[in-house]
Amino acid sequence: MTDPSARRTLFDGIADEFLRDYPRGARLVAVSSPDAARSAAAAESLREALAGRGVGAQVATAPGDGAEQLRSEVVAPFRTAGADAVLIVPGSASLLAERTRGLWHYSLWLIEGDEVPHTAATALVDVTDPNAPTRRLADYCAVPPSFLT
């Protein structure tokens, strides 16, 4: 049996890393994976970690897979508000697609087991054991040339 505090410890570390690099302003974070429930659970864990550090953070669901809809319905209103806050958007791999990856200050890609890491993510988190996730480092030199993200 794993210790659920390991999950909290991991997301506390990610929150600290994120806040060190992006301490103020309207900041955007993508939490993506092949599984929507996995992304949503991790987004909530990150929101809790940021809230524990006194940072206003909210989770907003990505509206489908369209880049323009994401920009107009989620990103633009958040940026326009100009709040000193963090918006966490959980979703699928489309959040890190070529047309959307530049929207985010920070991005997480969640993997289970032998799933292929997403090369555009800021951080990789292995959630094979959801109560004891771990950071994973990927050797992108070993990614086959035919693998496109």
Side-chain angles (χ1 to χ4, degrees), residues 28-29 32 35 46-47 49 53 58 64 94 100 118 126 131 135 140:
L28 295 155
V29 178
S32 57
D35 179 83
L46 181 57
R47 187 202 64 74
R53 282 148 181 72
Q58 62 184 25
S94 66
T100 54
H118 201 298
D126 187 332
N131 288 325
R135 285 289 292 264
Y140 293 122

Side-chain angles (χ1 to χ4, degrees), residues 8-9 16 22 42 48 61 67 74 78 81 89 93 96 98 108 112 119 124 130-131 138 145 149:
R8 187 176 59 249
T9 299
D16 290 341
Y22 303 98
E48 290 171 0
T61 304
V74 177
F78 178 72
V89 181
L96 298 179
E98 193 171 340
L108 294 175
E112 273 188 15
T119 58
L124 303 174
N131 288 325
T149 57

